[in-house]
Structures are given as C-alpha cells and as structure tokens.
Amino acid sequence: MLDRNKRQINYLRLSITDHCNLRCQYCLPEKHTNFYNSCDLLNSNEIEKIVKAFSLIGIKKVRITGGEPLVRKDFKEILKKIHHIDGIEKIAITTNGFQLLENLEEFRENGLNRINISLDSLNAEKYNKITRGGDFNIIFKTIKEATLKNFEKIRLNVVIMKDVNDDEILDFVNLTKDLNVDVRFIEIMPIGEGKKFTSVKNSDILTLLQKHYLLEKTSNISTDGPASYYKIPNFLGEIGFISPLSNRFCDNCNRVRVTSNGFLKLCLHYNQGIDLVPYLGNDISIETLATIIEQAIYNEKPKEHQMDSSEYTSNIESKGMNKIGG
Ligand code: SAM
C-alpha cells in the first residue's frame, strides 16, 4: 500500500517481546525490571492474525525482533505460522544470537530467510562489557556457522559509539573480506539509554573507509528501505549504513512496527499509532483488521522524524528500544 506521502509500505517490524537476556549499555539499564507481563504479550495466534492482516495490505517482509525474540519459548511456532501466510515473501530476525547456534538449521527449514545479529565489538572483553554479560566467542561461532547454512543474508548490526568502539570500524570492514556477512553501521539514536552516548556520523565513517578502500555503491532491493550499501571489490560481504541522524531517510521509509503488546507504531520517533488488541477477537475478521491498519497507516504515518532536531515536537516516543523493537 501507499501512504499519504506516496511511500510504498511493504515491511513490518514485529516485536514479540520486550524481554532480553542481555543489558546492552545503550539499550537497557543494568537493573531494568519494567518489562511487560507475559499475559500482555501477543500470543502466537494473535501474531498470526495480525500478520495475515498485514499481508492483505501488501506487506511482503516481516522482521521478528524484540527485546530478544529468541527468549520466547514459542519462537518456532511463531516462525512456522508466519511462514505459512500467503504473500509474506521474506522473514528476517534481529537477534543478539542467543541460543541461535543450535537452532540455525531448523529456523532455516521453517522459513527464516535472513538473520541480523547485533555485534558491537570484535573484542571479547569489550563485547562482554557493552552487553553486560555477552559471550563473544559463542556469538562469533554462531555467525560463522550461520554463513554455511544457506540463509539469503547474514548481517551484523554495529552501533558505533564515540570512544567506545569507533576504533574498530576498519576491523569490522575487514571481516567482510573472507566472511560472507554484511556489516551495517547504525548511528546511535537518542532513544532511552542511547541518549547517554555520542554518535559517530556515518558520513564520517564513509570518508574513513574511502581513504582505505575503493567502495562501489550497490542498488537496494525494494524492501531494504533506508539503508545504503557499498561493496569493496573481492570482498564477500557488503558494508551498509543506516543513518537516521546524518541523512534523514524518511522519504524512503517503507516500514511500520507492531510492539509486543500489540500497538501499531507508525514511526520510530513518535508514539503515534493504534492499539490493535481490541480487534484481535474472533468477532473481528482479518479483512476488517486489515482495513483498520490500512487507514491508520494512510492517515497517521508521520512524514518524517525529528530526532536530529532540538525543537520541541509533540508525541515523542518515550519507550526504550527494547519495547520499540529497534
Ligand atoms: N535483541 C535483539 C538484538 O540485539 O539485535 C533485537 C532488539 S535490539 C533493540 C534491535 C537493534 O536495535 C539492535 O541492533 C540494537 O543494536 C539496536 N539499538 C538499540 N538501541 C539503539 C539506539 N539507541 N540507537 C540505535 N540502535 C539501537
């Protein structure tokens, strides 16, 4: 479907929990306890109904996210249900890699096409510190193993923070030489704990890379949305940039979000949207739900975010990234 700003909306980011096994410093406070109760989370049947409705309005790609989506014990059931929905062409996950190694094959067989793994350092000690407890060696082994399992794409999400991991930019790029993974540099957004860190502009990273490599821009596929990608000749993986601050990408925004408690969220930066929960009962058809979603997107999806502006705007999102889904 097209929204009123004539953007093709074909991508749903579906958060299935706000819980996480890690406490990344820029995402969650160390002693965070303010999680949704499990009875507030959508169950797998509700998720299936919502995704069916989205498929009717033209959503083709679903990314399952969180919190950490793999902490949900019924993750496989959710994956299978989404896999069998007509019109959903791609299923992706954003994960920190928790318990992924032992499930790679089964997830692939059940329709998972793409995996994004968050990895903010290649140094085991630093990784452990940033994530407050993550085991780099397990995650790195998972990443290598995943490249052998016939997924369409394995991508690493790297949030670069000034004086934290900006000394590792070239190490991340070099990783793509022999390992078939794309590395995506994400500018840290001033959301929740992210406000405590200083971002590094992706344009500065690009300038640094251009001093060392010949970079060829590659063309995006339609569901890729705002990321831009480059290839270094003879390297296996690509380098991507997600630059919400230095290059406001809202004209190309192709996505909406559903939070783990069933709120249709129309822009990362604003709390605008509608609660879908009242429409999940058996008395409301999937077609009616689809119409409600379509109207909300058409009428209310903001034209652009104002994250890079200091001017006051109303309806700013106050929830942390674990509740938004990244
Ligand atoms: N637990 C999963 C993971 O670690 O990938 C999925 C959820 S996490 C909230 C999704 C993505 O959001 C991760 O790649 C994480 O690095 C990113 N993220 C979290 N806080 C952020 C912030 N303030 N700015 C930019 N990206 C952020």
Side-chain angles (χ1 to χ4, degrees):
M1 69 164 287
L2 293 181
D3 73 356
R4 66 192 316 151
N5 291 299
K6 305 214 165 20
R7 294 173 295 196
Q8 184 80 46
I9 307 300
N10 54 18
Y11 175 24
L12 169 65
R13 292 185 69 101
L14 177 71
S15 175
I16 60 172
T17 180
D18 62 333
H19 290 245
C20 191
N21 58 313
L22 296 179
R23 293 287 180 275
C24 295
Q25 289 186 21
Y26 59 87
C27 190
L28 275 174
E30 189 167 13
K31 304 251 182 293
H32 187 78
T33 51
N34 182 22
F35 293 110
Y36 294 136
N37 292 321
S38 44
C39 60
D40 296 326
L41 300 180
L42 297 172
N43 66 38
S44 65
N45 292 330
E46 292 169 329
I47 289 173
E48 183 181 29
K49 178 169 179 178
I50 287 176
V51 179
K52 278 185 176 165
F54 272 102
S55 79
L56 293 184
I57 64 162
I59 293 292
K60 299 196 177 331
K61 174 174 166 186
V62 176
R63 173 171 302 283
I64 308 174
T65 178
E68 173 46 48
L70 297 180
V71 303
R72 267 203 62 162
K73 295 202 169 55
D74 57 351
F75 177 81
K76 278 179 207 161
E77 193 186 328
I78 293 170
L79 177 62
K80 278 186 196 169
K81 285 188 165 162
I82 298 176
H83 182 42
H84 288 113
I85 296 174
D86 285 343
I88 301 301
E89 296 168 4
K90 297 230 180 295
I91 308 177
I93 186 174
T94 299
T95 172
N96 57 38
F98 171 66
Q99 292 183 357
L100 184 58
L101 187 59
E102 52 274 42
N103 289 301
L104 281 166
E105 245 152 68
E106 206 179 339
F107 290 171
R108 182 69 197 101
E109 281 160 15
N110 284 294
L112 188 64
N113 304 99
R114 294 169 167 230
I115 304 181
N116 286 10
I117 300 183
S118 301
L119 185 79
D120 301 314
S121 178
L122 295 170
N123 172 306
E125 219 174 288
K126 201 195 285 184
Y127 175 79
N128 181 273
K129 193 170 164 206
I130 294 173
T131 57
R132 300 196 182 100
D135 186 330
F136 173 82
N137 293 319
I138 294 180
I139 302 307
F140 202 64
K141 188 173 172 198
T142 306
I143 292 165
K144 286 203 270 190
E145 201 58 31
T147 62
L148 308 174
K149 298 288 185 216
N150 216 15
F151 287 95
E152 245 173 54
K153 280 275 177 212
I154 307 294
R155 284 181 167 150
L156 304 188
N157 282 353
V158 187
V159 175
I160 294 291
M161 294 158 277
K162 192 165 171 7
D163 299 330
V164 176
N165 58 355
D166 53 343
D167 56 336
E168 295 191 55
I169 292 167
L170 294 178
D171 297 339
F172 272 108
V173 172
N174 282 329
L175 197 65
T176 65
K177 186 166 193 270
D178 300 317
L179 197 61
N180 193 6
V181 295
D182 294 350
V183 163
R184 307 198 311 167
F185 294 114
I186 303 176
E187 285 175 352
I188 192 158
M189 290 174 256
I191 290 183
E193 298 295 290
K195 290 183 194 137
K196 297 179 181 166
F197 292 84
T198 307
S199 76
V200 176
K201 281 187 189 164
N202 270 341
S203 48
D204 291 344
I205 298 182
L206 187 59
T207 305
L208 171 75
L209 299 193
Q210 280 164 337
K211 285 187 189 145
H212 291 82
Y213 304 103
L214 179 69
L215 294 175
E216 295 166 356
K217 199 158 188 340
T218 59
S219 54
N220 273 13
I221 58 166
S222 73
T223 47
D224 264 349
S228 54
Y229 288 94
Y230 293 82
K231 191 150 183 49
I232 301 172
N234 302 321
F235 278 38
L236 292 178
E238 297 187 2
I239 310 299
F241 294 94
I242 302 184
S243 318
L245 302 179
S246 68
N247 181 14
R248 202 189 282 184
F249 46 40
C250 306
D251 286 351
N252 296 324
C253 184
N254 63 339
R255 61 199 57 198
V256 290
R257 295 171 165 79
V258 171
T259 62
S260 54
N261 62 348
F263 187 79
L264 166 61
K265 187 170 159 49
L266 299 166
C267 170
L268 186 65
H269 188 210
Y270 295 105
N271 60 17
Q272 263 153 290
I274 55 165
D275 184 8
L276 298 179
V277 174
Y279 308 108
L280 299 180
N282 289 335
D283 51 330
I284 307 274
S285 69
I286 292 168
E287 288 74 16
T288 304
L289 177 60
T291 305
I292 288 163
I293 292 171
E294 192 173 30
Q295 283 172 355
I297 295 174
Y298 187 83
N299 292 322
E300 287 185 50
K301 184 166 168 62
K303 187 170 186 304
E304 55 191 1
H305 74 67
Q306 300 288 342
M307 260 185 272
D308 45 0
S309 154
S310 53
E311 279 171 38
Y312 173 78
T313 44
S314 55
N315 304 327
I316 299 290
E317 181 58 84
S318 59
K319 291 196 281 297
M321 206 57 118
N322 68 309
K323 284 202 160 41
I324 299 171

